[in-house]
Amino acid sequence: MTRASAALALVHHPVLDRTGGVVATAVTPLDVHDLARLAATYGLAGLYVVTPLRAQTELLERLLRHWVQGAGGRTNPWRRRALEGVRLVSGLGEAVADLAERWGGRPWVLATSARREGGRVGFAAARQRLAEPGAGGLVVFGTGWGLAPEAYEACDDVLEPVDAGTGYNHLSVRSAASIVVDRLFGMREGST
């Protein structure tokens, strides 16, 4: 697999609030900037921002216009390059369908979670699967208090949580995404 056969999704709906209710969270421009830069750094196909909220989509469209076509992009071409890979979709299924059309086959949709439960795919196994020739993958991150059950239903597997052995596991989505992406796509000792 070339790394360009993998993409990230940042889901703002359906996600959970602290009480377990299904909500839509606000798009945070800092998350979008950082995850787009993360995808570009690791040579991924881009970042899907998932929100059905029109006001949030309009905010993000304005931000992208500034950094891709406007003064921001002329001032900072590195940021423009990263943000050119951002696609706005109203649902996770739309991201999967777009990748299936682009790649000629449905990607392996891998959810992330901070919850420690059985049946999770380990980082080594996920890394190996994503490296198989012809494989394509979409790594899905939730905002708020994590993906809602209906978001998991759109995914094929769930990745094991980031665990540093401290018993504390409450990272920002930006931090968790950076660790996950490096574990899945980063260079390892002895690799070129």
Side-chain angles (χ1 to χ4, degrees), residues 11-181:
V11 177
H12 294 85
H13 180 271
V15 294
L16 302 175
D17 66 12
R18 70 178 54 222
T19 67
V22 177
V23 297
T25 57
V27 173
T28 305
L30 185 59
D31 289 347
V32 175
H33 279 265
D34 283 358
L35 268 68
R37 292 164 65 188
L38 176 64
T41 297
Y42 283 82
L44 304 180
L47 168 67
Y48 289 87
V49 178
V50 181
T51 181
L53 303 178
R54 187 68 205 146
Q56 296 296 299
T57 301
E58 290 170 356
L59 168 75
L60 198 48
E61 287 170 341
R62 214 168 42 248
L63 177 139
L64 292 173
R65 272 194 309 275
H66 171 76
W67 285 104
V68 174
Q69 300 152 346
R74 289 187 297 277
T75 303
N76 188 337
W78 289 104
R79 185 71 53 99
R80 179 185 68 233
R81 180 176 162 192
L83 291 171
E84 284 172 339
V86 174
R87 293 175 184 246
L88 307 177
V89 294
S90 61
L92 189 54
E94 190 178 336
V96 173
D98 182 63
L99 287 174
E101 183 177 319
R102 288 169 61 189
W103 295 342
R106 186 181 186 283
W108 179 44
V109 184
L110 183 62
T112 60
S113 175
R115 294 178 192 85
R116 290 173 175 80
E117 298 172 2
R120 306 292 193 192
V121 175
F123 281 100
R127 182 180 176 90
Q128 183 175 4
R129 180 165 178 181
L130 289 165
E132 292 174 3
L138 178 63
V139 184
V140 180
F141 297 92
T143 57
W145 287 76
L147 297 168
E150 50 266 44
Y152 285 113
E153 291 172 11
C155 299
D156 301 310
D157 287 300
V158 181
L159 187 64
E160 68 182 340
V162 171
D163 186 351
T166 63
Y168 185 85
N169 186 18
H170 192 73
L171 295 167
S172 70
V173 71
R174 293 183 308 279
S175 294
S178 295
I179 294 166
V180 167
V181 167

